Every structure is written in structure tokens, then in C-alpha cells.
Amino acid sequence: MATSSTDPSRRQKASAHPPGADPRRWKALLVLSALQFMILLDMTIVNVALPAIEDGMAFDPAGLTWVVNGYALAAGSLLILGGRLADYYGRRRLLIIGVVLFAASSALCGFATHPAMMILGRFGQGAAEAIAAPASLGLIALLFTDAKERSKALGIWGGLVALGGTLGYVFSGLLTSFTSWRWIFLINLPVALVALIAIPALLDESRMAPGRRGRLDVWGAATSTAGLVAIVYGLLEAAENPWGSAAVVFPVAAGIALLLGMLIIERRVPDPLLPRGFFDNRTRSVVNFTSLFFMAAFIGYTFMLTLFEQDVLGYTPLQSGLGYLPLGIGIGVGIGISSVLVPKIGVKPVVVAGFLGAGVGLALTSFATTDSSYLLGILPGMIVFAVFAGATMPAATNAALHNVTTQDSGLASGVQSTAQQIGGALGLAVLVTFAMRRFLADVTAGEPVEVAMTNGFTLGFQIGAVLMFVGGVLLAVFLERVDGALRDPVVEGVEADLAALSASDDEVGHRP
């Protein structure tokens, strides 16, 4: 005989488990953190393997950028929609869909026999991140209702995510050197399988109440994604075609038309991806705009430095991967310095100095030659770039949350992440295009191939430095006074999710 939900024995059993005391919560956190670690790892794990992928898949240099850009464009364009989908259809369901998509996309990359398969797989991996990440954070809000436990859980989750970005370079070097570049993708499959078995057992379903979740703006996300892809495609075509050629002009024009169409859609739909008037605030506008410059320089730096080290200096993938360790350490040091300075001297001085200092680091790297050593030719610029780039991160996050309520901090953080991903994709297309044009011009003029390649890469570093300098000037001129009390959008977003869930009468599954 079925037991009624009003059965006193069930009420007594429920009362024995106060809010936040789900006995599965720490195991569930382990699964969620491992998944996010795996997904974030794949943002950087391809970097060191790029030359091997280029050789194995017969990519041309412009086409190789899609291995990075495919992921970035999908993750950036679909991130905000991914959060809405989780609210609408259920967080556990979207998490499972994200894991399945990530596993299938990883398999497609790992077994790819044609560049198109690799690019499609990377788009799929980026889309999986956009689906899975918001769902994971929403589930943490349900699992940890006690404030102290939730803070500890978010610290573990955030720490593993940050570690994934740093270790990607090293893992890529190890796998590419001792096995095959294909294993940087195939290693995801057993992790995904374990997650798919564990998620139904450890996590209950939840979704936002119908009256609170709004409508889905699928067309806005679709047109923005298609428009950005078209623009990036057109810019990359300029690497080997004249700027005024049809191969360049037509896709760029189509992309601009699609983005204009997206703006029209956003003005007419009842629940746009971004609330109307979000960018009316000057500080939020300039910090998100300069985020495009920051990630363009950052992604361009790691992309071109890897190719320079392996194709010109003759580094092995393992040497190249280990060579990136100071980058991760320097970023961590910079974040620590910024966290101390921002409450004392404010956001503006720190973020402006961070941009300008990172530009100096890129400028130092641009002096590298065909016979540069790691200690003298690469490491000094890397350390300067890493420390100052790291220093911008907490300060820029505070600026992105300027005059944003706790309830909307998750959205503001999502906008900043979207700008960063899109900036990385657009910037890489521009930097690689100019580097390729310089390379082809120098080869045509009779320069040795390695010298021509080095000239192309150093031009890319110089353009990245200019972007950072311009970003620093824009921030110095337009940034308003921002509260120096450091804010954590992840914590605030989870707190807002928890408040919304507690206020909802129609939540499905686990309720605090």
C-alpha cells in the first residue's frame, strides 16, 4: 500500500533531516566539481596539443583556430540561455543532457578523421559547458542550505574549476607526448560515464516555478551565435584573401546583419536574454567591452606562444605544457595581490594597472626571436603578463557587478563570461589573421620560414599588447567609483537561486 505524503511517519523522517543535511550532498558535490573540472580542463587542454592536431588533421593555421574558437563561441553565446533552460526544464535534466553532449562531442573530437568533425565536436563541447555549468550551480543551492557548508562547498567547486584551467596545459603535454593527442578528448569518456551513473542517484530534480522562470529567448541566442560564427569565419578568410574579397566581405556582412537581427528580437521578446537597460550603466558597459580586449589578448597569447615554442623553437608538447606552469602560478599571485589591494585603494587603480602591466608583458614577449631561450625570451614576459592579468580579475569582477543586486549578480557574471568567451574568439581570429598575413608577406619576400613565422607571431603579441593598453586607457577614462568590498558572483548567484527556490511553491523534487 502506497504511503501518503501526509503520513506522520514520513513527516517525522523528514524532520530528522534539517535543511542542508542531505546525506548525499558531499558525494554529489564531488561529482559536480569533477564534471566542472573536466569541462573547464578542455578549455585549455587543447592548447599544447594544437601543433599535433594541426599535423594529424591537416589543418591550415587559420582553420586550426576553430579548435579554440568553436568551443569559445558556443560556450559564450549559449551560457545565459543555458541558465534559462535549467530553470525551465529542470537542473538535473539539463546537467545530464550537458554530460551526454560533452561525452558525445569528446568522442567525436577523439575519433575525428576530418577537420570538420573536430570543429563540430568543439562546438558541442562548448555548448555542453553552457548547459551544464548553470545547472551545477543551481543544484549546489539545493544541496547546501546551511551557509557555512555552502561557503565551503563553493570554495571546493571554485578551486577545482580554477585548477582545471591551469592543469590543462600540463595534462595536454603529458598525454600528447606519451600517448596521442586524441586522448585529451577520449579521457573525458570514463568520467562522463561515472557521472551519468551517479547523478540520478545523488541529485533530485528541481526547476523554477512556472510564474518565475520567464520565457525562453531561443531566437536571440541562435541569431547571436550564427552572427558571431559568420564574422569570425570572414575574419579568418582574410588571412589568405584580400580584405575586400567576397570570401571576407560576405560572411562578415551576414554576421553583422544577424547581430542586428538579434538586437531587434531582443527589443520585442517579453523576456530577452539580457534585461533592457542592462548596459545603461557606464561602468558595466566599459568593463564588459574591455573584457573583449582582455580575452582577445590572453587567448591569442597562449595560442601563438604554443605554436611558436613547438614549430619554431622545437619544444616537445611536454616541455611546452610544463612551460605554462608559471602562467598559472603568476595568475594566482596576481589574484591574491588584487584581493588585498582592491579593498584598500579601490577597483579603478588596480584594474587599470592590471591592463597596462599585462600589455607590458605581451610587449616583452614580442621581442622573442628564432633562437630565444625560455628563461630569457619567454619567461620574463610570461611572469609580468600573468601577475598583472591575474590582478585584473577580482577588480574587473567587482566592476562588472557595479550597482547590481545580489539577485542579478549571477546574470551580470554570466554577461562578463559571455563577453570574455566572445572576445577570445573574435580576438584570436583577428590576431591570427594579421600574423598569417605577415608570415605570407615575409615568405614571399624571401625570408626563411622560421623567421617569417616568428615575425607573424611577434606581430600578434604586439597587437595583443596594444589591445591591453587601449583597454587600460578606456577603463581609466570611463570607469566610475566602484565599491572596493570584494564580491563573489558565484556565491551571490547561488544565494539568489536558494532564495528563489525557497520562495517558490511549485518546485519539483528536493525542497529545503
Side-chain angles (χ1 to χ4, degrees):
M1 179 178 176
T3 305
S4 168
S5 61
T6 59
D7 185 15
S9 64
R10 292 196 64 180
R11 291 201 303 271
Q12 183 177 1
K13 181 179 179 181
S15 66
H17 296 281
D22 189 326
R24 306 168 299 173
R25 63 195 184 282
W26 293 108
K27 293 180 181 178
L29 176 67
L30 178 62
V31 173
L32 292 173
S33 298
L35 278 174
Q36 197 63 16
F37 174 85
M38 177 187 72
I39 291 173
L40 266 293
L41 190 73
D42 270 61
M43 285 185 64
T44 56
I45 200 170
V46 300
N47 201 70
V48 173
L50 285 171
I53 294 172
E54 182 180 22
D55 293 339
M57 299 293 297
F59 271 108
D60 58 56
L64 188 66
T65 62
W66 285 106
V67 179
V68 176
N69 279 348
Y71 189 107
L73 285 171
S77 301
L78 302 176
L79 181 63
I80 296 175
L81 178 63
R84 298 279 180 88
L85 289 170
D87 289 342
Y88 202 91
Y89 292 109
R91 296 171 182 84
R92 187 179 72 172
R93 179 177 298 169
L94 263 292
L95 182 61
I96 291 174
I97 291 173
V99 174
V100 171
L101 177 58
F102 193 80
S105 301
S106 297
L108 183 61
C109 291
F111 294 113
T113 57
H114 189 275
M117 295 174 65
M118 172 66 70
I119 294 169
L120 181 61
R122 289 294 286 170
F123 269 96
Q125 285 185 318
E129 183 199 339
I131 292 171
S136 293
L137 283 174
L139 288 165
I140 290 176
L142 286 171
L143 286 166
F144 295 92
T145 54
D146 178 77
K148 291 183 178 179
E149 280 198 346
R150 186 164 59 251
S151 178
K152 183 178 179 180
L154 289 172
I156 294 172
W157 189 88
L160 286 174
V161 168
L163 190 63
T166 301
L167 290 182
Y169 301 109
V170 179
F171 285 177
S172 181
L174 288 169
L175 291 171
T176 305
S177 293
F178 295 112
T179 57
S180 163
W181 62 264
R182 295 184 182 277
W183 280 103
I184 67 175
F185 303 109
L186 297 178
I187 198 173
N188 296 330
L189 301 184
V191 179
L193 179 61
V194 171
L196 289 174
I197 295 172
I199 288 172
L202 297 176
L203 297 167
D204 295 322
E205 183 60 283
S206 73
R207 64 173 64 91
M208 197 68 73
R212 300 177 62 89
R213 60 197 182 200
R215 298 183 183 180
L216 295 174
D217 182 16
V218 177
W219 284 109
T223 50
S224 63
T225 303
L228 290 167
V229 170
I231 290 173
V232 169
Y233 178 82
L235 291 173
L236 289 173
E237 284 295 302
E240 299 180 358
N241 295 282
W243 286 105
S245 65
V248 176
V249 173
F250 285 174
V252 170
I256 293 172
L258 284 166
L259 292 182
L260 291 174
M262 182 269 293
L263 293 177
I264 294 173
I265 292 171
E266 293 299 283
R267 291 177 63 86
R268 295 186 176 184
V269 295
D271 294 296
L273 292 174
L274 291 179
R276 295 180 180 91
F278 181 86
F279 286 112
D280 289 346
N281 181 275
R282 190 178 77 191
T283 290
R284 289 201 300 270
S285 296
V286 71
V287 78
N288 281 290
F289 182 65
T290 54
S291 290
L292 300 175
F293 294 176
F294 179 90
M295 286 306 292
F298 192 101
I299 298 299
Y301 169 76
T302 57
F303 182 91
M304 291 185 293
L305 183 61
T306 298
L307 296 180
F308 173 66
E309 288 178 340
Q310 295 187 41
D311 291 346
V312 176
L313 300 183
Y315 289 13
T316 66
L318 181 57
Q319 289 174 321
S320 187
L322 293 174
Y324 275 111
L325 283 176
L327 181 70
I329 295 171
I331 289 173
V333 171
I335 291 173
I337 293 172
S338 180
S339 299
V340 173
L341 290 180
V342 166
K344 293 181 177 179
I345 66 175
V347 167
K348 188 171 183 176
V350 176
V351 72
V352 171
F355 266 74
L356 298 179
V360 171
L362 290 173
L364 289 174
T365 308
S366 72
F367 288 105
T369 65
T370 55
D371 57 356
S372 289
S373 67
Y374 178 78
L375 289 177
L376 297 178
I378 295 175
L379 187 59
M382 178 180 288
I383 292 175
V384 173
F385 176 72
V387 172
F388 280 96
T392 68
M393 293 176 182
T397 297
N398 257 40
L401 297 176
H402 183 54
N403 287 345
V404 171
T405 64
T406 299
Q407 183 178 356
D408 290 331
S409 63
L411 172 64
S413 177
V415 172
Q416 186 186 29
S417 297
T418 295
Q420 290 171 344
Q421 295 276 25
I422 291 171
L426 291 173
L428 185 58
V430 172
L431 268 61
V432 168
T433 293
F434 278 101
M436 277 293 298
R437 292 177 72 92
R438 173 65 183 272
F439 165 75
L440 293 173
D442 285 0
V443 168
T444 303
E447 291 280 7
V449 171
E450 289 187 350
V451 173
M453 291 177 66
T454 301
N455 292 340
F457 292 138
T458 55
L459 175 61
F461 296 141
Q462 290 165 358
I463 295 173
V466 170
L467 289 175
M468 295 302 290
F469 292 145
V470 171
V473 171
L474 290 174
L475 289 165
V477 172
F478 293 107
L479 203 66
E480 300 168 299
R481 181 178 176 82
V482 180
D483 186 0
L486 290 173
R487 299 177 61 179
D488 188 333
V490 174
V491 174
E492 292 183 10
V494 170
E495 295 283 358
D497 275 351
L498 183 61
L501 295 174
S502 298
S504 174
D505 294 327
D506 298 323
E507 285 296 328
V508 176
H510 177 75
R511 287 286 310 276

